[in-house]
Amino acid sequence: MTVSTDTSFVYFSLPGRVVFGEGCLSTLPQEVQALGAQRALVLCTPEQRSVAEQVSRQLGDRSAGIFDQAVMHVPIETARAARARAAELGADLAVAVGGGSTIGLGKAIALDSGLPIIAIPTTYAGSEMTTIFGITEGGIKKTGRDPRVLPRTVLYDPTLTLSLPIGLSVTSCMNAIAHAAEGLYAPDGNPIMGLMAEAGISAIARSLPSLCANAQDMSARTDALYGAWLCGKVLGHVAMSLHHKLCHTLGGTFNLPHAETHTVVLPQALAYNTPAAPEAMARIARALGSTTAAQGVFDLAQRHGAPVSLRELGLKATDLDRACELALENQYNNPRPLGRVAIRQLLQDAFDGRRPLV
Ligand code: NAD
């Protein structure tokens, strides 16, 4: 976006403190103290129990305990159990160490009780930067925005991402790029979010070759996490469009994995929106160092071994008609109007993993 006399926009910024850098986890006790908390409940998935124990040890007397049952999509039963645990332990803070699922669990507690959150992200999903929450009840994921769920402090320590497997690192990076890409054509975008989006995409695209060559490359991990922060920040400040709507539909109804679904759908959603958002697409392509936005994200994913088709993710061809119907319901704002035939074709292309033509 160039700022000229006919440019007008609204800008706001969500509050929040960010501590970034290799080894910054060691500052957690000071950050907890700065919030005046005495009894922190540490949240994690069962798989990340050991990192939660490390965090809990670091907190010493200020750790109230660990709740290690975070799972994808925040089932209401898990949220209730975590809320009960927090109340029983008299927790005055949640420390969520993990990816979007763990941070989502922290948000579910905060939504109910206003408990402050310190987030320590270990993936690139970006939830720590948004007021967006999601809770799944009876197979239906309800999402919304509420300022109470925004973490007060976020510690981005790239050391904690070294253990993220390369496959999930790549798809999680594509998930982050999706936030920034849609931010560039969001109806409520603004020049600051545009700068963050471009810088975020560029940092991630730059990191992936080295990260895939060596998962322990600290410089690449730092670039990727820095990019994820910027992309998450964009998601926190703008409306989502077609791409996120498709991913929510596919993830929620067909139980497809979150980051992988974003990876597969993004090139097709960008191709769909290309005629209606040429300036945004040019900026995405520039940030990727590619000729076009849609081909750029497709190639980035494929070159780094990520899935490119919904078929690979386990969707059935017979699910595509239903997915199309759901995508057309409760539409999100989108630069190009949604047409049934064109959206069905988009889903077919995503199913087949076709490289976009634009
Ligand atoms: P995740 O949190 O589900 O983690 C996936 C797996 O990776 C888990 O088993 C986890 O334990 C493991 N893991 C995470 N970090 C690791 C590490 N450093 N080393 C080894 N293993 C690690 O995955 P995600 O993609 O981060 O989050 C997906 C969820 O987040 C979805 O439910 C999605 O809807 C939500 N999300 C929400 C927002 C928001 O703004 N509310 C934004 C993005 C994603």
Side-chain angles (χ1 to χ4, degrees):
M1 184 187 287
T2 47
V3 179
S4 57
T5 45
D6 61 354
T7 300
S8 62
F9 55 87
V10 173
Y11 170 78
F12 78 101
S13 181
L14 292 170
R17 176 177 163 85
V18 169
V19 182
F20 190 100
E22 184 181 344
C24 75
L25 180 62
S26 66
T27 67
L28 179 63
Q30 291 100 285
E31 295 301 330
V32 170
Q33 198 171 2
L35 292 177
Q38 305 293 333
R39 296 184 59 74
L41 176 62
V42 181
L43 307 174
C44 65
T45 59
E47 301 83 45
Q48 288 186 284
R49 172 90 199 182
S50 63
V51 64
E53 280 170 358
Q54 183 194 338
V55 164
S56 179
R57 273 195 303 277
Q58 243 179 297
L59 288 174
D61 290 348
R62 288 181 198 260
S63 172
I66 297 174
F67 183 88
D68 67 1
Q69 295 302 308
V71 287
M72 189 87 90
H73 303 312
V74 194
I76 185 73
E77 299 75 17
T78 312
R80 285 190 185 126
R83 288 167 181 167
R85 191 74 196 281
E88 174 193 306
L89 293 171
D92 56 5
L93 176 74
V95 173
V97 56
S101 298
T102 303
I103 294 167
L105 181 60
K107 289 177 164 184
I109 303 174
L111 186 66
D112 187 56
S113 62
L115 200 69
I117 303 170
I118 291 185
I120 309 174
T122 63
T123 70
Y124 307 114
S127 176
E128 66 283 352
M129 281 293 129
T130 81
T131 58
I132 305 165
F133 63 87
I135 298 178
T136 304
E137 188 166 10
I140 295 176
K141 187 167 179 176
K142 289 188 194 139
T143 59
R145 293 197 192 231
D146 192 306
R148 278 178 304 175
V149 309
L150 184 72
R152 302 284 175 90
T153 305
V154 180
L155 264 58
Y156 283 109
D157 186 342
T159 317
L160 298 175
T161 63
L162 293 175
S163 54
L164 191 64
I166 287 184
L168 187 49
S169 298
V170 177
T171 53
S172 193
C173 278
M174 298 305 297
N175 184 192
I177 288 177
H179 305 328
E182 289 229 296
L184 282 164
Y185 53 68
D188 51 357
N190 61 64
I192 302 299
M193 288 304 137
L195 292 174
M196 287 186 174
E198 240 186 284
I201 295 172
S202 163
I204 288 178
R206 188 171 62 229
S207 74
L208 278 176
S210 313
L211 194 159
C212 289
N214 174 12
Q216 305 301 308
D217 184 325
M218 187 56 81
S219 160
R221 288 291 189 182
T222 303
D223 268 347
L225 198 57
Y226 174 68
W229 167 41
L230 296 177
C231 294
K233 186 88 180 150
V234 173
L235 178 68
H237 288 80
V238 300
M240 294 175 271
S241 300
L242 173 65
H243 167 78
H244 281 81
K245 167 72 182 178
L246 288 170
C247 292
H248 291 165
T249 300
L250 291 164
T253 308
F254 304 102
N255 202 27
L256 298 189
H258 177 81
E260 290 87 339
T261 304
H262 273 269
T263 305
V264 169
V265 171
L266 185 62
Q268 312 302 342
L270 293 185
Y272 185 90
N273 279 333
T274 290
E279 197 188 322
M281 297 305 164
R283 294 184 74 177
I284 296 164
R286 187 167 68 204
L288 292 167
S290 62
T291 313
T292 77
Q295 292 175 348
V297 289
F298 184 93
D299 294 345
L300 189 68
Q302 194 170 50
R303 210 181 308 131
H304 295 103
V308 291
S309 73
L310 292 174
R311 186 189 281 116
E312 287 169 86
L313 305 188
L315 193 77
K316 296 189 193 70
T318 46
D319 291 331
L320 290 173
D321 286 340
R322 170 103 179 105
C324 181
E325 290 311 314
L326 291 169
L328 295 170
E329 281 173 15
N330 305 319
Q331 295 180 14
Y332 295 5
N333 206 300
N334 194 59
R336 179 176 163 196
L338 306 194
R340 186 176 303 274
V341 173
I343 293 295
R344 181 62 179 77
Q345 185 59 49
L346 181 168
L347 286 165
Q348 189 68 49
D349 291 344
F351 183 77
D352 293 331
R354 216 168 276 153
R355 185 174 188 263
L357 296 172
V358 292

